[in-house]
Amino acid sequence: MRENGLQTASVAIISVEEIRGILDNFNIGKKPLSKLLGWGETTIIRYIEGDVPTLEYSNKLKTIANDPYYYLDILTQNKDNITGVAFNKSRKAVLTKIMETKLSLVTQYIINLTEGEVCPTYIQWLLYFSQAFSLALYDKELFEDDYIINFNYVPYPDVYNKLKKHGINFLEIDMSRLKSEETKLIEKVVECFSWYGTKALKALHTYERTLLRISRDKDSNKIISKEALKNYFKEVLSYYNIYSLNEIYRYPDQRINVIKDL
């Protein structure tokens, strides 16, 4: 039993490669990272050279490695422990990591547009309609993620769960990663749909989901594929005579009134 316990503890300890990954991903030096964590400044150096971290320290490092939001919180709270240059370099790196995917980037752009006055659920609807109208109007995906079917009616659950855990925060983004066509579309969707509250958009989305074709992805998750979303919203464009971004408002204005009368 004791031997098994030791093996389990050994497996749980963070590896040198994982620690190096933290340093590389977040562009932080060994001594600055130690200082950020409130440890002796040679602690990370010793771990890199072969010393074995305690389980407590290992778990903290593992959380940092797996959760850039967690690291950003530590970096922000303890920035006075390191130089301004080290802070700025690491902050830029962690923001890049947080917004590594296009979905994360679009999510943050929506948060910034709304000045953070939006909840994780509402962001889901804005992401959904932004993707839908991009596919329908331009035949282009805004981001690669498919809509995941789940009981919570949140199309992009990974984003939803991260925002629920870490909150809504304004973060600077690399605008060069968003095309002008994309920013204009997102802005117009936010403008048109933000007139309506969470209850109205949830009702609209719930109604639509009954009309959308459900399939499965390579991992057997139930999804609404981008192709299915595009085909449905192509019909929406035709029915509501929407030919440009400036006419998107016709859809929520008219469809929500119809749903209210059902």
Side-chain angles (χ1 to χ4, degrees):
M1 292 295 291
R2 177 175 172 77
E3 182 179 352
N4 289 339
L6 289 173
Q7 288 176 346
T8 301
S10 176
V11 169
I13 297 298
I14 192 168
S15 68
V16 171
E17 289 73 21
E18 289 174 302
I19 297 174
R20 290 189 187 279
I22 293 171
L23 302 175
D24 292 340
N25 288 334
F26 301 136
N27 198 11
I28 189 76
K30 295 183 279 293
K31 287 185 178 180
L33 178 57
S34 295
K35 291 178 180 179
L36 276 177
L37 297 173
W39 301 344
E41 70 173 28
T42 62
T43 302
I44 298 298
I45 293 175
R46 290 190 289 102
Y47 293 162
I48 293 291
E49 291 177 348
D51 278 8
V52 178
T54 64
L55 190 57
E56 177 188 354
Y57 279 24
S58 173
N59 286 342
K60 194 173 188 73
L61 289 169
K62 277 182 172 287
T63 302
I64 289 171
N66 295 323
D67 189 348
Y69 284 97
Y70 179 70
Y71 175 74
L72 179 60
D73 287 342
I74 292 173
L75 181 67
T76 303
Q77 291 169 12
N78 299 333
K79 65 180 182 180
D80 291 338
N81 293 357
I82 60 176
T83 66
V85 172
F87 170 78
N88 289 331
K89 286 169 58 179
S90 193
R91 179 175 170 80
K92 182 178 180 180
V94 70
L95 291 179
T96 298
K97 192 69 177 174
I98 285 173
M99 286 170 264
E100 192 170 30
T101 68
K102 190 70 174 295
L103 176 58
S104 297
L105 181 68
V106 173
T107 299
Q108 191 60 52
Y109 188 57
I110 289 172
I111 290 171
N112 292 357
L113 278 177
T114 59
E115 298 181 342
E117 297 296 322
V118 64
C119 69
T121 301
Y122 203 88
I123 290 172
Q124 292 287 304
W125 313 142
L126 296 178
L127 287 169
Y128 165 73
F129 288 115
S130 295
Q131 176 80 306
F133 280 105
S134 179
L135 289 165
L137 281 169
Y138 303 136
D139 293 308
K140 297 176 183 176
E141 63 182 40
L142 189 57
F143 43 82
E144 66 179 358
D145 305 66
D146 283 313
Y147 177 131
I148 303 292
I149 298 292
N150 54 78
F151 292 115
N152 293 322
Y153 283 80
V154 290
Y156 310 104
D158 285 348
V159 167
Y160 175 79
N161 291 332
K162 286 176 183 176
L163 294 179
K164 286 287 286 184
K165 179 178 180 181
H166 296 286
I168 307 293
N169 298 289
F170 181 94
L171 299 172
E172 58 269 28
I173 67 175
D174 180 2
M175 290 300 295
S176 68
R177 291 179 57 203
L178 287 172
K179 299 175 183 176
S180 175
E181 180 183 77
E182 294 173 330
T183 59
K184 289 177 181 177
L185 180 140
I186 297 166
E187 289 163 8
K188 185 58 68 173
V189 166
V190 170
E191 176 188 327
C192 293
F193 285 87
S194 291
W195 284 96
Y196 301 94
T198 303
K199 184 176 180 180
L201 293 193
K202 182 177 181 179
L204 175 57
H205 167 257
T206 302
Y207 174 77
E208 285 173 349
R209 206 170 94 167
T210 64
L211 305 174
L212 287 160
R213 179 176 174 271
I214 295 175
S215 56
R216 290 187 182 271
D217 64 13
K218 59 182 176 60
D219 298 317
S220 295
N221 296 310
K222 287 185 177 181
I223 64 167
I224 295 171
S225 70
K226 292 185 288 291
E227 188 66 22
L229 200 58
K230 180 174 75 172
N231 291 339
Y232 175 77
F233 272 86
K234 287 281 190 185
E235 295 178 7
V236 166
L237 298 187
S238 177
Y239 186 84
Y240 291 96
N241 297 313
I242 298 171
Y243 303 103
S244 70
L245 290 181
N246 290 330
E247 295 159 337
I248 286 177
Y249 73 90
R250 292 175 181 168
Y251 178 59
D253 285 2
Q254 296 178 43
R255 179 56 71 88
I256 287 175
N257 282 331
V258 170
I259 293 173
K260 283 170 62 179
D261 295 333
L262 291 178

